[in-house]
């Protein structure tokens, strides 16, 4: 075992709370949806049974309508804001009221395919499969109510890319008046220069309060939200998960789930074409309320390579990444574009989980050289700067939280699977 793998496993174990992992101590003291699902990719290499438990714990808190929340507040902790009292979702174990990228279907298939204990994998996959399928169905019913084939996010936190430049223009429609006074906790754990601004936080909270006032009723939220963004990366993750769930369901003889997910994915891939931009050589977000593309070539449009998109689109994305003028691939926003900031969260920094998903998709589409360079940069960042939340794409400086679970998980997965 290399030193890097040993160190990465130590971080996962340090952040393990028995049936779920926290993303990092202090800054994120609960279970986060896509963090957990990506974490199992690393965890499975040293404790397969525990990796299944991670996803099972998350789905134990699935809402009756099918949504899987973005945070499960397993235990009280004052170190995070906004906590359960702000969300007030009324769930037996408190959760947030929004969702996150649908990585679970991809993680489920990866766990099943590579499992050493085949009997356990079969039993656990069979139990999880209908739950993941219900989440996918929820996305299409509640986030694509007019049947466009792609789903919208109603809050930047749903994408995980909280302060992307993509949201700057649409966020002008989100008011800030009337929000309850609050104290941020994130800036007490991480450098405020690396985090979203107060103006962004005010708008995040306005949206939470608006949705809360509607009783978190997902049949109402979409049309009531001034923020309805169709994010190509978010949709690509869902489409990839649907493809993986369809494949897995076929193998398990679950023909209904297979057909439904195959159809969702096919419709999604076709609809993604509406987000393509030739001038940018990548996909863009679409502002559903205005019915127009957002002129912001962020990493969301490169993460689209994670879905089974046409090979010429994947080749163009590989070229676009090569044209980024950074020391380390892949910047979350390209240097030189308005709004770029090398250290501020999703406005420039490199994130290993996104690198992993882009490289996986590009390799599948035949872009092995580009994929290999992204993976090599990822490992160099770790050697250079440790297991940070994210990294300056020019200097490799570690930013945000430290000893970060999903960063460590990616390192194990990359090095063990190589
Ligand atoms: C945060 O609190 O920074 C998260 O991104 C919200 O999930």
């Amino acid at each position: 075992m290399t030193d890097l793998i040993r160190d990465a496993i130590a971080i996962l174990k340090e952040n393990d709370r028995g049936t779920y992992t926290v993303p990092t101590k202090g800054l994120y003291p609960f279970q986060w949806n896509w963090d957990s699902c990506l974490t199992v990719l690393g965890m499975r290499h040293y404790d397969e049974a525990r990796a299944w438990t991670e996803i099972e714990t998350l789905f134990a808190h699935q809402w009756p309508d099918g949504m899987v929340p973005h945070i499960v507040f397993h235990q009280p902790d004052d170190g995070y804001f906004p906590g359960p009292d702000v969300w007030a979702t009324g769930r037996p174990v408190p959760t947030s009221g929004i969702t996150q990228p649908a990585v679970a279907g991809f993680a489920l298939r990866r766990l099943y395919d590579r499992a050493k204990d085949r009997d356990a994998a079969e039993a656990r996959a069979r139990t999880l499969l209908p739950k993941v399928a219900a989440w996918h169905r929820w996305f299409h019913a509640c986030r694509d109510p007019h049947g466009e084939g792609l789903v919208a996010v109603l809050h930047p936190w749903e994408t995980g890319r909280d302060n992307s430049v993509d949201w700057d223009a649409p966020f002008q429609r989100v008011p800030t008046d009337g929000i309850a006074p609050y104290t941020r906790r994130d800036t007490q754990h991480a450098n405020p220069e690396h985090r979203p601004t107060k103006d962004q936080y005010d708008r995040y909270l306005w949206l939470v309060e608006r949705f809360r006032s509607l009783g978190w009723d997902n049949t109402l939220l979409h049309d009531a939200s001034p923020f309805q963004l169709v994010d190509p990366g978010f949709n690509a993750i869902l489409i990839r998960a649907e493809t993986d769930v369809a494949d897995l369901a076929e193998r398990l003889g679950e023909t209904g789930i297979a057909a439904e997910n195959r159809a969702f994915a096919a419709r999604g891939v076709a609809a993604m074409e509406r987000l393509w931009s030739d001038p940018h050589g990548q996909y863009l977000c679409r502002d559903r309320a205005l019915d127009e593309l957002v002129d912001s070539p962020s990493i969301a449009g490169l993460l689209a390579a994670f879905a089974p998109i046409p090979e010429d689109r994947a080749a163009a994305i590989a070229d676009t990444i090569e044209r980024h003028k950074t020391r380390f691939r892949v910047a979350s926003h390209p240097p030189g574009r308005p709004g770029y900031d090398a250290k501020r969260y999703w406005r420039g920094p490199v994130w290993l989980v996104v690198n992993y998903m882009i490289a996986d998709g590009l390799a599948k589409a035949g872009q092995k050289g580009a994929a290999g360079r992204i993976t090599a940069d990822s490992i160099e960042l770790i050697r250079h700067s440790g297991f940070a939340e994210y990294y300056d794409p020019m200097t490799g400086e570690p930013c945000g939280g430290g000893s970060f679970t999903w960063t460590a998980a990616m390192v194990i997965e990359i090095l063990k699977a190589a």
Side-chain angles (χ1 to χ4, degrees), residues 35-45 51-52 54-55 107 111:
D35 289 74
S36 265
C37 293
L38 288 160
T39 294
V40 305
L41 302 184
M43 197 180 256
R44 72 187 176 86
H45 291 284
W52 284 103
E54 184 80 17
I55 306 188
L111 267 183

Side-chain angles (χ1 to χ4, degrees), residues 28 32 70 80 157 162 195 201 345:
Y28 300 121
W32 260 259
H70 102 292
Y80 180 82
W157 286 342
D162 302 4
R195 295 284 307 170
Y201 255 80
Y345 216 36

